[in-house]
Amino acid sequence: MAPGDRVMMGHMSNAFTTRVLNIVSGTEETVVDLTHDCESFLREVADGRDGLLNVFVPHATAGIAVIETGAGSDSDLLAALHTLLPSDDRWQHRHGTPGHGRDHVLPALVPPHATLPVLGGRLELGTWQSVCLVDTNISNVNRQVRLSFLG
């Protein structure tokens, strides 16, 4: 286990382990693929067990999506979010960069969490699925993502 990991044993044989990833998402809207980080975490802590991986971003202006990446879908997602949530002055939440209020609406469309099946210690994703951080807030470049395994 890495420093900062916590393991809490329940009354059954289940274990809960959690780790925080520090992500620098940059000053542009972005989709950050976390799949490798999730798989590495599970290799360290799941020990071949079945369970659930929860991915959670504790920020009011980011979300977690399970989508295809690398074939343009990540860019398409950002374009769709621009259509649904334009960066203009319509938002009542007005601090920060122009149109920043849209970033606070994002988690209603791209939730701040995903819970995923783990079988035999491995993340069970579909062929083209990746676990991604979706960050449209260009003013906050430092993000945390909490990975928690229950199994």
Side-chain angles (χ1 to χ4, degrees):
M1 280 191 292
D5 284 355
R6 293 189 334 220
V7 177
M8 298 171 15
M9 299 300 287
H11 63 281
M12 300 176 72
S13 61
N14 294 343
F16 176 80
T17 307
T18 188
R19 174 174 301 151
V20 174
L21 304 174
N22 292 302
I23 306 290
V24 178
S25 58
T27 57
E28 295 183 14
E29 296 180 6
T30 190
V31 175
V32 179
D33 192 336
L34 303 173
T35 308
H36 178 72
D37 295 299
C38 293
E39 291 169 339
S40 295
F41 172 67
L42 290 171
R43 275 193 300 276
E44 290 179 36
V45 304
D47 197 30
R49 297 189 314 269
D50 294 349
L52 295 172
L53 174 68
N54 183 264
V55 184
F56 176 73
V57 56
H59 298 285
T61 58
I64 300 295
V66 178
I67 62 167
E68 178 181 7
T69 59
S73 297
D74 37 355
S75 296
D76 290 342
L77 174 59
L78 293 174
L81 290 171
H82 258 287
T83 300
L84 294 169
L85 305 171
S87 294
D88 58 23
D89 63 357
R90 74 183 67 202
W91 309 101
Q92 292 182 35
H93 187 106
R94 292 180 187 258
H95 78 84
T97 56
H100 173 65
R102 75 184 285 265
D103 300 325
H104 287 274
V105 177
L106 173 77
L109 301 176
V110 181
H113 59 88
T115 301
L116 307 165
V118 176
L119 296 177
R122 298 179 53 102
L123 190 57
E124 283 294 306
L125 293 173
T127 302
W128 304 111
Q129 289 179 317
S130 296
V131 182
C132 300
L133 168 68
V134 179
D135 189 358
T136 60
N137 184 353
I138 61 174
S139 298
N140 188 351
V141 301
N142 297 304
R143 297 300 192 161
Q144 292 186 333
V145 177
R146 178 172 294 281
L147 306 179
S148 301
F149 174 70
L150 177 63

